[in-house]
Amino acid sequence: MLRFLPVIVEVALLVFCLIDCIQSDSDRVRNLSKGWWLVLIVVLPIAGGIAWLAVGRPQTPRTHVPWRSTQTAGFPEDERPRRYGDDASAEERRRAEERRSDDLHEQMLRDWEAQLRARDQGASDTDRPGPV
């Protein structure tokens, strides 16, 4: 089992460095372009990985985070982006859209019921025996 340790370390270093290089911003990578670093890491797994960690990897952490709540220790539910905005006019537009949608659905249901009644009346008229 001990003889497999160097292979496991090499594969782990290769995978870590590839993922780290791929996820890094292209404009923040040092000394070579991102594509050349990928080639170097794949062709020379140990030397390329160590070189990436030593001189290619960005030194400063990312300044952009996907959610503002990860920057602070605040309440994330208060910091999430709102769906319709914070202003009252956006809320009123949303409610008006919901009312318009509800009215449309109500009208469609009334039309459907009328069509069903007409079809039932037509079927009942044909079931009556005519004069003989």
Side-chain angles (χ1 to χ4, degrees), residues 25-39:
D25 294 331
S26 297
D27 56 339
R28 296 183 59 234
V29 174
R30 298 182 295 156
N31 296 325
L32 291 175
S33 67
K34 190 173 176 178
W36 283 109
W37 276 116
L38 289 171
V39 169

Side-chain angles (χ1 to χ4, degrees), residues 17-121:
C17 291
L18 276 176
I19 291 173
D20 191 38
C21 183
I22 290 170
Q23 289 182 344
S24 296
D25 294 331
S26 297
D27 56 339
R28 296 183 59 234
V29 174
R30 298 182 295 156
N31 296 325
L32 291 175
S33 67
K34 190 173 176 178
W36 283 109
W37 276 116
L38 289 171
V39 169
L40 187 67
I41 292 169
V42 171
V43 172
L44 303 170
I46 295 176
I50 293 172
W52 166 253
L53 293 175
V55 296
R57 191 173 190 204
Q59 287 181 336
T60 58
R62 292 182 185 167
T63 56
H64 172 71
V65 292
W67 292 96
R68 292 181 302 163
S69 62
T70 57
Q71 291 177 344
T72 65
F75 296 101
E77 62 271 7
D78 294 335
E79 297 176 358
R80 289 191 182 124
R82 302 290 191 264
R83 181 173 177 189
Y84 291 105
D86 293 333
D87 58 350
S89 63
E91 184 68 22
E92 183 58 37
R93 284 192 305 266
R94 183 185 63 81
R95 287 186 182 145
E97 179 65 30
E98 286 177 355
R99 282 192 300 270
R100 189 170 41 250
S101 176
D102 289 344
D103 293 342
L104 178 66
H105 285 117
E106 288 293 326
Q107 182 61 40
M108 289 171 60
L109 282 174
R110 285 192 294 272
D111 292 345
W112 187 40
E113 287 175 353
Q115 289 173 359
L116 287 175
R117 279 193 211 105
R119 187 172 59 185
D120 287 344
Q121 286 179 351

